[in-house]
Amino acid sequence: MTQETAIYLDPNDFYKQEMESWEELWNDDLTLYQNVRSILSQSVLLPQRDLMLPILATYILIPSKWALILPILFSWGGKGSGKSTTAIFANKLHGKNQTFSSTDTFSAIRNALDSMRWIDPAEKEMEKEGAILAWDNLHISTLKRDERIYQLLLFGYSRASDKISIAQPDGTNREFFVFSPKIISSVDDIHLCPDFEELHRRLLVIPHKSFEEFNSEERKLYQDFDIFTDKLDIDSIHWEGIEEKFYSFWNNTDNCKLYAKYRSMLTRKGKKEFTHEMTSNQWVITVDLMVTGLILGTWKSPSEAISHMDSYWKYTDKHIFSQLGATTEHLKQFIEEEVGTQRILNQQLIEKGKPGISLVISPQKLKNRIAYHHARGELEINPRQQDIIIIMSRLGWRLTSKGWMEKK
């Protein structure tokens, strides 16, 4: 038999017969959210499960067509921590074939998004549901190497500002629209890298670590879970057709009406029936996530959704974004040495009804301190002036003609 006349053997046909189908995991008595959460709970073991899992399951069910502002879901952890599983499963749930990697070019990503998002990619007028960009292990070096990918992440969080212009070889500029839900996984501390200060405010960080690294408290959540027999391998399941569950839910007129209703309720001007402890930025990038969760049944009421996200941001502020690099730690210590005593005196003056003294730090003294630590090999980077400005800004200081002054 020649190669031309041989019957083609498609591996997918054989795997369909042998692999377990997602339908065997699906319970029709449960909601879409409950089923997705169940699958994720069996395949992604999270050290802060009860806090992170509802957010994870809700994010991958966000309707790209109806959302207006979205954070980037960042699954962060070491090797073997399951950080890539969310991106892979999200793609299956949206009917997409594969995740992106650090080797994919901006052009490839842009073309894929255009194809996913628009009914007619040339006209870009009528939008399809279900667009999502998911990366499996995106490195800091990739974002530094190709600024266009960084811009795609930075500006693609808001529908109102998702247009980016890229110079073409012929000297003209071409416009691209880059809004969509985005999931990235990485071993790199993208959320702490000084070069990506603007991106940090767009990130919804989900920490991962291998089960072997869980402490005793974290293991208690999985005391009835056998990691060797109960853990679900995403790659061992045949997922064809599961996307129908996602699309049928968001093609329902009543659900879409509810989306508009809840979003208006949470964002309309004037006195509201609820309060929150989030910063203005945290609130803005959280709204569409909470709206999605209210429709899916993740949370029973706006107050419950807000309470959950308040807890999430408190946790990440304390345990995730506070993991400062060596340079930041040394600068914090330097600031305390320079103005710590004056801060105490200022507080005493204010308590007596007197104005405090403006806090100013000598730029030369700061420069000398940085040079000292760098010469001793105590910094994780060789800080440029722009790095110092970014880190000091994060610590609440700005450079003026008088020196480094504390922000009011």
Side-chain angles (χ1 to χ4, degrees), residues 383-402:
R384 305 161 298 172
Q385 178 67 5
Q386 186 60 31
D387 295 326
I388 300 303
I389 290 173
I390 290 173
I391 295 172
M392 287 294 285
S393 176
R394 189 188 301 168
L395 295 175
W397 293 79
R398 59 189 177 89
L399 185 59
T400 71
S401 59
K402 296 180 181 179

Side-chain angles (χ1 to χ4, degrees), residues 253-297:
T253 302
D254 290 337
N255 290 336
C256 295
K257 285 181 178 179
L258 273 177
Y259 199 100
K261 176 182 177 181
Y262 275 125
R263 202 179 198 290
S264 176
M265 178 192 304
L266 293 178
T267 59
R268 70 166 60 103
K269 184 179 179 181
K271 187 176 180 180
K272 299 178 177 64
E273 298 178 357
F274 52 82
T275 59
H276 65 84
E277 300 178 53
M278 298 176 234
T279 67
S280 58
N281 177 73
Q282 290 169 348
W283 172 261
V284 167
I285 67 171
T286 297
V287 166
D288 281 283
L289 176 71
M290 293 190 293
V291 170
T292 301
L294 289 170
I295 300 167
L296 290 167

Side-chain angles (χ1 to χ4, degrees), residues 2 10 15 34 38 128 175 178 203 207 265 272 283 353 380:
T2 66
D10 188 345
Y15 281 122
Q34 289 170 332
S38 175
K128 294 191 290 187
E175 295 180 341
V178 292
L203 296 177
M265 178 192 304
K272 299 178 177 64
W283 172 261
E380 82 279 16

Side-chain angles (χ1 to χ4, degrees), residues 214-227:
F214 279 30
N215 60 38
S216 57
E217 285 300 312
E218 293 162 349
R219 284 175 178 263
K220 284 181 181 178
L221 296 172
Y222 296 94
Q223 58 186 354
D224 297 325
F225 188 91
D226 189 325
I227 190 171

